């Protein structure tokens, strides 16, 4: 496989955007925790067991953990589809669905909106399943 094949894949920008979502999660978590515990805590080695206890901090942490649970699957499936030579179609729709749902999920979780948040999560799982089915069938 030539490197130009990889460079031409429409999945590569999606992988880049997924990294941006990861950075947003990490940044949100850090900003909210720092607001609650202070800059000194953030700059410290955090050897004590102090953790943010506020609702927003907890939601940011859980939303980030939820993203990180599905992120390896997205990356593996995206590269699998690229290597399989199917850069468009159902797998691309699935990748976009996963990405859009993961972006929408962040404010829904931070605002504590139930049910809709769960439906958006299900949408992201459907996106991964679409990518998976392209690789398997």
């Amino acid at each position: 496989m030539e490197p130009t094949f990889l460079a031409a894949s429409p999945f590569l920008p999606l992988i880049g955007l997924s990294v941006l979502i990861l950075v947003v999660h990490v940044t949100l978590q850090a900003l909210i925790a720092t607001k609650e515990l202070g800059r000194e805590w953030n700059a410290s080695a955090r050897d004590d067991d102090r953790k943010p206890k506020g609702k927003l901090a907890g939601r940011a942490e859980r939303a980030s953990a939820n993203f990180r649970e599905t992120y390896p699957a997205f990356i593996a499936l995206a590269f699998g589809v690229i290597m399989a030579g199917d850069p468009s179609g159902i797998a691309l729709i699935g990748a976009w669905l996963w990405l859009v749902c993961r972006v929408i999920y962040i404010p829904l979780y931070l605002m504590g909106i139930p049910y809709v948040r769960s439906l958006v999560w299900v949408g992201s799982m459907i996106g991964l399943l679409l990518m998976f089915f392209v690789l398997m069938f």
Side-chain angles (χ1 to χ4, degrees):
M1 184 175 317
E2 297 177 2
T4 56
F5 177 76
L6 290 175
S9 175
F11 282 89
L12 293 180
L14 293 173
I15 292 167
L17 289 171
S18 73
V19 172
L20 184 61
I21 296 171
L22 178 65
V23 169
V24 166
H25 273 291
V26 171
T27 302
L28 275 172
Q29 205 175 344
L31 290 173
I32 294 167
T34 300
K35 184 175 181 182
E36 185 177 323
L37 297 176
R39 286 181 298 189
E40 292 77 22
W41 171 83
N42 191 349
S44 75
R46 300 179 198 156
D47 291 331
D48 60 9
D49 286 336
R50 286 180 49 198
K51 301 234 185 258
K53 296 186 187 331
K55 280 185 183 179
L56 193 58
R59 290 175 184 168
E61 183 178 341
R62 290 187 300 277
S64 177
N66 184 278
F67 176 80
R68 287 180 278 117
E69 289 169 357
T70 66
Y71 191 48
F74 172 76
I75 294 297
L77 289 168
F79 278 113
V81 170
I82 290 169
M83 299 308 254
D86 183 27
S88 60
I90 301 280
L92 188 58
I93 291 168
W96 273 108
L97 181 61
W98 179 85
L99 188 87
V100 168
C101 286
R102 294 315 312 194
V103 169
I104 294 169
Y105 188 84
I106 297 168
L108 290 176
Y109 208 121
L110 291 178
M111 291 185 287
I113 298 173
Y115 303 111
V116 175
R117 184 193 83 227
S118 297
L119 287 174
V120 169
W121 180 85
V122 168
S124 73
M125 293 298 103
I126 291 170
L128 292 178
L129 285 174
L130 290 173
M131 295 169 71
F132 174 78
F133 285 125
V134 167
L135 286 178
M136 297 307 293
F137 303 105

